Amino acid sequence: MTFDRNYFDIGRLDRLAYGKTWVHRLDPRSKVVATLLYLLTVVSLPKYEVASLAPFFFFPVVLAALAGIPARFLLRKMLIVSPFAVLIGIFNPLLDTRTAAVIAGVPLSAGLLSFFSILLKFALTVSASLLLIATTSFPGVCHAVRRLGAPPLLVSQLLFLYRYLFVLMEEAMRMVRAREMRSFGARGAELRVFVRLVGILFLRTVDRAQRIYDAMLARGFAGDIPILGRSPMAGADLAFLAATVGFLGLFRFVPVTEGIGRFAQGVLG
């Protein structure tokens, strides 16, 4: 994958947020609250209850289908950060070897179950977070968090961090193109050249950031970014929240999967 393709792929989540589906039209606050409740519910499940996590895939799958978000794109984004989840739990099967369950005559250790639980929770939480941004945009999420009562300074810092990530990438792209034009893509790839480019990039970004900050102060910036279009949540937004709370409460506090397993065991037995 080329540098240019990597750059333009960064903003694809925000471009997906310009869709016209029912999920896109929901109030950002309702989607933020629903996603937070979903994340807290998934994380709160005990680490050995792997089967209880299965019904929670219904939430991201349905949202992705209704919003028209490509599943391949979400999977690719999840695979990029999946090594972190693997490293967190890869040693669990070695450290916790006691038998926790027996499935079809095969004993499963508690460490293996907790490892699977980490991977499933990672997939659920990351997919829900990506869907939130893909249907709302990162600035939309920040404005929703601000309207929900978050400190304005925190929201401004998040907005600037995200916005100037693209500025940093643009500066880096200019430097990479200039190097390739002068070396025809072959020479100038040594470590010392790379270190020099990083130093130049740092100096350029610091200088540009100072000029931008001075321009913002000249235009009256006082630490908070005003929000346009303040509108109350509609009935569809409240219905979405109510459906999400009902779904989460059902599969978190009612042993639905355990009942289905016993029923299937009784039928097959």
Side-chain angles (χ1 to χ4, degrees):
M1 183 178 287
T2 64
F3 186 86
D4 290 6
R5 186 175 176 184
N6 269 316
Y7 166 71
F8 288 112
D9 192 58
I10 290 178
R12 188 179 176 186
L13 277 174
D14 273 344
R15 293 196 298 273
L16 290 172
Y18 290 101
K20 303 298 182 182
T21 66
W22 174 77
V23 180
H24 287 84
R25 291 193 297 268
L26 287 172
D27 190 288
R29 289 171 296 174
S30 65
K31 288 183 281 187
V32 168
V33 173
T35 303
L36 287 176
L37 291 175
Y38 177 80
L39 298 180
L40 292 174
T41 304
V42 170
V43 173
S44 68
L45 285 168
K47 60 181 179 180
Y48 299 125
E49 294 188 11
V50 177
S52 299
L53 292 169
F56 290 93
F57 278 98
F58 184 79
F59 182 81
V61 169
V62 170
L63 280 185
L66 292 176
I69 306 299
R72 182 178 298 180
F73 172 74
L74 293 176
L75 290 175
R76 188 167 67 248
K77 291 293 185 183
M78 291 169 58
L79 287 176
I80 294 175
V81 294
S82 60
F84 295 100
V86 174
L87 289 175
I88 290 174
I90 194 171
F91 296 107
N92 286 15
L94 302 177
L95 299 175
D96 194 354
T97 57
R98 56 190 176 85
T99 302
V102 179
I103 300 178
V106 179
L108 298 178
S109 66
L112 189 62
L113 289 179
S114 63
F115 178 53
F116 288 153
S117 176
I118 290 174
L119 294 181
L120 290 177
K121 288 181 179 179
F122 161 80
L124 291 169
T125 53
V126 172
S127 61
S129 302
L130 289 173
L131 283 171
L132 174 63
I133 299 176
T135 57
T136 312
S137 78
F138 189 83
V141 172
C142 291
H143 289 311
V145 171
R146 175 69 183 91
R147 296 181 65 184
L148 289 171
L153 183 59
L154 173 63
V155 176
S156 299
Q157 290 292 331
L158 291 174
L159 286 170
F160 290 141
L161 176 65
Y162 183 72
R163 173 63 185 90
Y164 291 106
L165 173 65
F166 295 94
V167 176
L168 177 66
M169 293 296 292
E170 287 175 358
E171 291 286 352
M173 187 163 55
R174 292 192 190 97
M175 296 175 59
V176 169
R177 286 175 175 172
R179 185 198 66 81
E180 291 177 349
M181 292 176 66
R182 289 167 173 80
S183 61
F184 301 99
R187 294 178 289 105
E190 298 85 359
L191 179 61
R192 60 184 180 85
V193 177
F194 174 75
V195 172
R196 193 173 301 171
L197 289 175
V198 172
I200 297 173
L201 177 63
F202 174 75
L203 293 176
R204 285 187 179 182
T205 51
V206 169
D207 181 63
R208 185 167 181 176
Q210 185 61 47
R211 295 198 308 269
I212 291 173
Y213 181 65
D214 292 338
M216 292 170 59
L217 291 179
R219 289 164 174 81
F221 176 72
D224 191 10
I225 298 178
I227 302 174
L228 301 177
R230 296 176 179 269
S231 58
M233 288 196 292
D237 307 314
L238 298 176
F240 171 71
L241 270 179
T244 302
V245 172
F247 166 77
L248 296 177
L250 174 65
F251 289 103
R252 178 62 180 88
F253 300 107
V254 179
V256 178
T257 54
E258 182 179 348
I260 294 175
R262 290 178 179 176
F263 176 77
Q265 185 178 5
V267 172
L268 296 177

